[in-house]
Amino acid sequence: MTVAPSGPEFPIQDIPFSYRGSWFDVSPVIAEKTYADDLHLVSHQTGLHAVLRLTPAGSDTTVVATPTLLTWCDGTGRIEAAYAGPDTLRLRGRRLGLRIAAAAPTLTPFSGTYLYLDPLDGSHVFTSYETGRRYRVTVLSGALRQTAGAEALGTADRFLDLPGDQPWEVAIEEYETARPPYAAPVDFDRLHRDRSAEFAAFLDAVAPWRGADTPAADLAAYVLWSATVAPAGFVTRPAVLMSKHWMDKVWSWDHCFNAIALASGEPELAWHQFQLPFDHQDAAGALPDSVTHSEVLHNYVKPPIHGWALRHLRRRLSAPPDRAALAQTYDRLARWTGFWLDARRAPGQDLPHYQHGNDSGWDNATTFDGGRVLQTADLAAFLVSQLRCLADLATELGEPAGRWSAEADRIRAAMLRDLWDGARFTARDPRTGRRRASRSLLDLMPVTLGADLPAPVAAALARGVEAHLTTHGLATEPPDSADYLADGYWRGPIWAPSTVLVEDGLRRAGHTALADEVSRRFLALCEKSGFAENFDAETGAGLRDRAYTWTASGYLLLAAAQEQRRATGG
């Protein structure tokens, strides 16, 4: 019964086992920073919810995870799991039993999991209040050894036991209310080969350049592939979640990095990534803070990096958008830019402002220690890029472009006049005009303007960036700062988006040697520590959510560019 694993092995504690399009995974991560002893079937419909606990009967079981096969091993005993499709998991065992149990021990009128035997087909069905879905277990071969808790109310053990003394196979499906009895269309070995071929095709599409010098490319591609979900709820398109751990949303700047990384090999999926938050643009033109299956949040926004991102996206798309799609994108980007110009500029001010650090994406950066409502140079720089992108789009579509160029010049001039102190940029209170400097890397982010900056300013920013460079990459707060925290979120750790933005700006400003070093160190960091949400700047250890897609995308973007430079001698 054993099949050969396909793809790289990965630690199941760090990266969940899942499948493109699926809303559930198998993982020990059952809540934010919460790890169970056993693997669970965890659904991301209506939030992150551990639904079923999967406990092998062996006393010394090890787990091996690859992109298309999950295996429990105990001596000669073995259980294998593979996806039969986005909503179905197939499991088979030999000489090793398995308990499939409700993760919630108590059923109330408003929570928990109910178990019953379906008289239509003899399957057992768990229904979950938390996800609002059913989880049907159909025995395909062998027989259940024991069941408990069918139709029980209140607190009870609800489980199905599969035997260790005979081979068995089951299917677990996630669905809403009803469907025909499950009939296996292909055998387990065939479906595993099919999944392996699908992942191999995706890998070849998004990382055809991979080789010995980019050893983490396969796993980076898996992180993106496995975090993708089908349209459902408020998720209007196929979407790459930030993670299938607890960061199971699409935030309105994270999606840009995933879109760019997918563009050359998966252009349709990439275009969907860019557009998804715009599907929820409000009447003021603002994008939501985040989108997930059952909620759209508008309490904050995210920085307007979308003009910068659209340029990179279009440059990489193997199938360019048609005129209608481009016109729609122009309108959406214009409305998003108008939000910042109209709703986020105080009377008489040239520069827009953030209302909170969360609006910047750098939630607790030291820039915001002296006040939350601030005009910052990163915001101004991103808008300059976006306005210049709009001017180019307008020209391409035959629309007036002058207003966009004039506004870009106005904001660029105000940024240099009101926020530059000769060495770095400061932040400014729009009410009092008081300026404050910090040591956050955020204050150096106008380097993203590249050649659109005066050369002396770009050079000063490059020197500032270099001061943030540790052995492992760009610390968001330098380690010698009094405000540095090793696991301080944006007060020290290394992040993928800041790395990608800074590297790109340095390169376009002509500081290629420093850009190369920033890229090299980040690539080495991911190859050492995986694709965590962020990393300890001094040790390189992965922090927070350990399966973060924009980190994987950052690796793919920088690795692809590195390989292209090697191939062309650039």
Side-chain angles (χ1 to χ4, degrees):
M1 65 165 264
T2 301
V3 296
S6 175
E9 291 186 13
F10 56 85
I12 194 69
Q13 292 79 12
D14 291 345
I15 300 174
F17 178 70
S18 195
Y19 173 64
R20 179 174 179 167
S22 180
W23 278 91
F24 69 83
D25 62 80
V26 180
S27 171
V29 178
I30 58 173
E32 182 176 354
K33 303 178 187 177
T34 304
Y35 293 76
D37 292 333
D38 294 317
L39 299 186
H40 285 64
L41 186 149
V42 180
S43 180
H44 298 270
Q45 301 203 54
T46 75
L48 183 156
H49 302 290
V51 180
L52 300 177
R53 186 174 68 252
L54 307 175
T55 307
S59 59
D60 191 24
T61 306
T62 59
V63 176
V64 178
T66 68
T68 57
L69 189 69
L70 180 66
T71 307
W72 291 260
C73 302
D74 190 335
T76 60
R78 186 180 183 94
I79 299 168
E80 293 172 327
Y83 277 82
D87 62 10
T88 304
L89 187 70
R90 290 263 290 274
L91 300 101
R92 68 179 181 180
R94 174 184 287 177
R95 292 190 292 273
L96 186 57
L98 178 71
R99 174 167 291 187
I100 302 171
T106 302
L107 177 66
T108 79
F110 304 104
S111 65
T113 302
Y114 174 66
L115 172 63
Y116 65 92
L117 173 65
D118 192 336
L120 270 69
D121 60 5
S123 66
H124 286 79
V125 182
F126 295 87
T127 68
S128 168
Y129 271 103
E130 282 71 21
T131 68
R133 301 296 184 272
R134 288 169 167 77
Y135 301 84
R136 181 169 68 184
V137 181
T138 301
V139 177
L140 304 178
S141 65
L144 293 172
R145 186 177 67 82
Q146 181 184 2
T147 67
E151 301 185 44
L153 304 178
T155 300
D157 290 329
R158 298 173 179 86
F159 63 80
L160 312 175
D161 276 353
L162 291 151
D165 58 0
Q166 61 176 290
W168 55 264
E169 184 174 345
V170 300
I172 304 177
E173 303 166 87
E174 180 182 55
Y175 62 99
E176 293 177 346
T177 56
R179 57 171 47 177
Y182 183 79
V186 297
D187 66 24
F188 190 97
D189 292 343
R190 171 63 185 274
L191 75 86
H192 176 252
R193 289 195 298 270
D194 290 346
R195 297 298 84 82
S196 298
E198 290 170 11
F199 175 65
F202 179 85
L203 176 58
D204 286 343
V206 302
W209 39 262
R210 68 193 186 280
D213 292 331
T214 54
D218 292 33
L219 193 53
Y222 171 73
V223 170
L224 289 172
W225 184 77
S226 64
T228 303
V229 295
F234 289 115
V235 176
T236 50
R237 303 163 182 263
V240 181
L241 303 179
M242 291 312 105
S243 174
K244 279 184 181 170
H245 286 329
W246 59 84
M247 300 294 281
D248 56 351
K249 299 183 180 184
V250 176
W251 277 267
S252 290
W253 69 312
D254 310 43
H255 69 111
C256 291
F257 300 94
N258 291 342
I260 298 168
L262 292 166
S264 61
E266 288 271 350
E268 184 177 357
L269 183 59
W271 191 250
H272 283 313
Q273 299 325 293
F274 184 79
Q275 296 290 344
L276 193 152
F278 286 95
D279 292 346
H280 299 281
Q281 197 166 15
D282 72 5
L287 299 186
D289 183 51
S290 63
V291 180
T292 193
H293 178 272
S294 299
E295 68 176 19
V296 179
L297 299 182
H298 286 276
N299 51 330
Y300 298 107
V301 293
K302 285 293 173 276
I305 68 166
H306 301 81
W308 171 89
L310 185 60
R311 286 185 185 276
H312 283 280
L313 178 63
R314 293 189 67 195
R315 193 176 302 129
R316 290 167 170 80
L317 282 174
S318 55
D322 60 25
R323 183 180 176 83
L326 208 57
Q328 181 192 51
T329 302
Y330 171 72
D331 177 68
R332 289 177 158 194
L333 196 64
R335 292 177 57 222
W336 173 223
T337 306
F339 162 79
W340 290 99
L341 300 180
D342 300 334
R344 288 294 183 92
R345 282 203 292 201
Q349 299 287 330
D350 292 323
L351 293 173
H353 59 266
Y354 292 132
Q355 294 174 343
H356 187 281
N358 288 2
D359 287 343
S360 75
W362 296 49
D363 309 2
N364 66 334
T366 56
T367 298
F368 299 97
D369 282 359
R372 307 285 183 261
V373 180
L374 289 176
Q375 296 166 340
T376 64
D378 68 297
L379 174 54
F382 293 147
L383 274 176
V384 170
S385 291
Q386 192 151 294
L387 286 158
R388 299 216 188 283
C389 177
L390 282 168
D392 290 345
L393 281 173
T395 300
E396 187 175 348
L397 293 166
E399 300 286 342
R403 61 181 176 130
W404 302 121
S405 296
E407 195 63 71
D409 291 342
R410 174 187 175 190
I411 292 177
R412 178 184 178 276
M415 178 184 74
L416 293 167
R417 180 189 69 231
D418 297 339
L419 302 181
W420 180 247
D421 70 0
R424 62 190 292 133
F425 284 99
T426 59
R428 182 176 182 270
D429 187 317
R431 298 158 297 191
T432 66
R434 185 176 66 87
R435 299 199 306 180
R436 178 183 178 275
S438 81
R439 297 191 65 189
S440 176
L441 183 65
L442 185 63
D443 296 354
L444 303 173
M445 291 306 289
V447 73
T448 59
L449 284 173
D452 203 2
L453 285 171
V457 173
L461 292 177
R463 290 192 295 272
V465 166
E466 196 165 10
H468 284 254
L469 196 57
T470 72
T471 301
H472 303 288
L474 288 174
T476 46
E477 185 80 12
D480 64 351
S481 167
D483 297 311
Y484 173 84
L485 293 171
D487 187 11
Y489 223 51
W490 292 95
R491 302 172 76 90
I494 297 165
W495 288 77
S498 50
T499 299
V500 171
L501 286 161
V502 167
E503 192 270 353
D504 174 66
L506 289 170
R507 199 169 295 283
R508 288 186 292 104
H511 297 277
T512 55
L514 181 56
D516 287 346
E517 193 59 25
V518 168
S519 175
R520 184 190 69 78
R521 295 190 192 191
F522 184 78
L523 293 174
L525 174 63
C526 292
E527 288 158 8
K528 170 191 173 185
S529 300
F531 305 105
E533 185 178 354
N534 53 46
F535 303 88
D536 186 306
E538 295 181 289
T539 69
L543 303 172
R544 308 290 173 129
D545 193 311
R546 302 299 178 86
Y548 218 75
T549 54
W550 74 0
T551 309
S553 289
Y555 180 88
L556 292 173
L557 287 169
L558 295 177
Q562 171 189 272
E563 294 307 295
Q564 183 178 24
R565 289 192 298 273
R566 286 175 175 169
T568 60

